[in-house]
Structures are given as structure tokens and as C-alpha cells.
Amino acid sequence: MKMKYFRIAVLSFAVLSASVLWAEAETSLNASAPDGIRPGGTLADETKAPDIPETVTPIKKPMRNYPDQPPTIPHSVEGYQVDRNYNQCLSCHSRARSPDTGAPMVSITHYLDRDHQALAAVSPRRYFCVQCHVPQHAVEPVTSSNFQGIEKVLEESLNREVNQSENHNNGMKAAE
């Protein structure tokens, strides 16, 4: 008989705990979210995703901002199949197909394993192209940026050194 009451007590406690947790979860899902990149709302709200903007197709290859920067994709890849069974990018960019298609061949670095040994096919760690390469879209920046390419950084550094040197030389002449 005591066991029966114990089971009822444990079951009642479990139901009560579950209802409290459920109420807390409902409250937290409806808590107001801060405005960030997308407008706020609540976590429970289902907002419409923005439309996918047009892909920018540059007339010439854009300059890269730093050494070894992956080049951008100059065309839409919407609907491309890139999974463990098939990589549609390689139908144009593989070593064998690029002469026929006119597309740039995948970099030779993509044919090296992690020990820098040459492989016959694209390395598995370089197989999913859109991990590094992305198409560009015609959109306004979400946030401002003060990013400067390496040429600009080096130019400013050189100008500072020249100015410091000139100031030092002028100071030496004034001291004479």
C-alpha cells in the first residue's frame, strides 16, 4: 500500500514539474528578441525570410583583399548539387573539364591532402566549395566596415615610416 502512495506522489511531482517547465518554455519563446541583423520579434514568431537578391556577375575578376583569399563565385549557384555524392562545381572546374568549359580549374592546392601529398581527385577537405567560395549579391552592407586591403595597409605603413623619418631628420637639422 505504501508503494502505491509513493508512486502516486512521484508521478504527481513529475507532472507538476513538467507543467512548470512547459510554462517557462512558452514564456521564454515569447520573450521579445533584440533587433539585430533581422528585425526583432519573438522566438516563437515565424517571420518571412527576405527575398534572395540578384547575384552580381562582375565583368572582370575582383581583386582579392589578402593573400590566399578564396575567389568569389561570379555566377549564381542556386540549385547546385554539392553533397557527398556529387559536386556540380566540378562538372566545369575539374582538371579534366576546365579546358572544354573555359572555367578556371580548381586550384592545385585543392588536390593536396593535409600532409601536402598530391591526390588524383579533389581532397575531401576541399570538396564542399561554398565553405570558402561565395557568390556576391547586390545588397547594402548590414553593418559598416573599416576594412582595408593589404595594399592600403602597407601604403599607410610606408607613409608613416617616411613621415617619421622626415620628422626625425628635420629635428636633427633644427638641433644643429
Side-chain angles (χ1 to χ4, degrees):
M1 195 59 126
K2 289 182 182 181
M3 191 63 154
K4 183 177 179 181
Y5 290 118
F6 179 73
R7 284 184 182 168
I8 290 173
V10 168
L11 188 58
S12 299
F13 179 75
V15 168
L16 182 62
S17 298
S19 63
V20 167
L21 290 174
W22 183 260
E24 286 180 14
E26 282 291 310
T27 303
S28 65
L29 287 177
N30 287 320
S32 180
D35 283 341
I37 293 174
R38 288 189 1 189
T42 67
L43 295 175
D45 290 344
E46 288 188 27
T47 58
K48 182 182 179 293
D51 293 333
I52 296 175
E54 283 189 42
T55 302
V56 173
T57 305
I59 295 171
K60 63 179 190 169
K61 289 183 182 179
M63 186 180 82
R64 298 189 201 179
N65 292 306
Y66 55 89
D68 298 326
Q69 175 186 354
T72 57
I73 301 171
H75 56 80
S76 175
V77 292
E78 188 175 345
Y80 271 41
Q81 180 182 353
V82 179
D83 57 34
R84 67 185 190 136
N85 298 318
Y86 183 73
N87 182 330
Q88 191 167 349
C89 302
L90 295 176
S91 64
C92 293
H93 294 278
S94 69
R95 192 179 354 215
R97 294 284 301 142
S98 68
D100 298 334
T101 63
M105 185 187 92
V106 172
S107 169
I108 194 66
T109 60
H110 290 50
Y111 288 91
L112 301 176
D113 67 10
R114 66 181 66 206
D115 298 321
H116 303 289
Q117 299 299 311
L119 302 170
V122 171
S123 170
R125 63 193 193 119
R126 301 289 186 108
Y127 183 78
F128 296 97
C129 308
V130 292
Q131 286 183 137
C132 300
H133 304 276
V134 294
Q136 297 297 292
H137 296 281
V139 295
E140 290 296 318
V142 176
T143 61
S144 62
S145 171
N146 60 357
F147 177 84
Q148 297 176 339
I150 189 68
E151 285 80 14
K152 181 77 171 165
V153 171
L154 291 174
E155 179 184 329
E156 287 179 359
S157 176
L158 182 61
N159 288 340
R160 271 194 306 274
E161 288 178 17
V162 168
N163 289 339
Q164 287 174 354
S165 177
E166 287 175 357
N167 290 341
H168 179 71
N169 291 340
N170 291 340
M172 295 294 280
K173 287 179 186 176
E176 293 175 358

